[in-house]
Amino acid sequence: MKDKQTATTYSISDLAREFDITTRTIRFYEDKQLLQPQRNGQARIYTAADRTRLKLILRGKRLGLTLEESRDIIDMYEPKGSNVAQQQKLLDKIRQRKHLLQQQLQDIEEMMFDLEETEQRLLQVQANI
């Protein structure tokens, strides 16, 4: 963060350092129009709202959301609204993601069982040779 005069603005390096990501990652989000910083010549100037948006994009990524899903949910935010629709959409996405992960976990457990069973059969065959 900068001095008092620019306390609510951030440079690309400030945000990269804070969120432990590369400046290239931030520029990628700009290319996808998820972030739209102001410009001062070549310098990018990010506001507190841009910082919050980046934080939400990264949180969405950790939750397994696509960038488009994150954009849709973030864009639903209404500063003076109740944001119930936004919260419901995020809740629906979380439930979908959990269901998918539970299915993948079940598939992995079945595969592990099959691998163990096959390994045991092969060890028995080798022991009888």
Side-chain angles (χ1 to χ4, degrees):
M1 190 156 46
K2 302 298 178 197
D3 59 30
K4 275 187 174 182
Q5 182 181 359
T6 57
T8 58
T9 63
Y10 305 85
S11 72
I12 193 169
S13 298
D14 292 334
L15 293 178
R17 203 172 19 260
E18 178 179 353
F19 293 107
D20 195 27
I21 57 176
T22 64
T23 56
R24 183 180 182 127
T25 298
I26 296 172
R27 287 191 299 274
F28 173 78
Y29 294 143
E30 286 178 37
D31 290 344
K32 297 294 180 183
Q33 297 182 336
L34 291 161
L35 296 172
Q36 297 170 343
Q38 300 168 6
R39 297 283 184 149
N40 183 5
Q42 292 290 347
R44 293 166 169 85
I45 302 169
Y46 297 88
T47 63
D50 293 322
R51 181 188 167 280
T52 299
R53 193 170 175 91
L54 177 58
K55 184 177 183 178
L56 294 173
I57 292 165
L58 296 172
R59 182 176 296 152
K61 182 179 174 187
R62 281 194 317 276
L63 292 174
L65 301 179
T66 67
L67 290 179
E68 193 58 41
E69 289 170 333
S70 288
R71 176 199 323 266
D72 290 345
I73 292 167
I74 293 167
D75 287 348
M76 291 176 75
Y77 177 71
E78 293 290 334
K80 296 180 183 182
S82 70
N83 294 300
V84 172
Q86 180 196 38
Q87 294 167 4
Q88 186 60 52
K89 186 165 188 168
L90 179 56
L91 187 58
D92 292 345
K93 291 294 178 186
I94 288 171
R95 287 177 177 157
Q96 288 172 7
R97 185 73 178 141
K98 283 176 61 178
H99 178 75
L100 175 66
L101 288 172
Q102 287 168 341
Q103 183 59 54
Q104 289 174 336
L105 181 58
Q106 183 179 346
D107 292 345
I108 289 169
E109 288 171 347
E110 289 174 11
M111 185 179 290
M112 288 297 293
F113 178 80
D114 291 344
L115 288 169
E116 289 289 332
E117 189 175 76
T118 302
E119 180 182 36
Q120 290 305 314
R121 271 193 257 129
L122 288 171
L123 288 171
Q124 286 176 355
V125 167
Q126 284 183 343
N128 292 331
I129 295 179

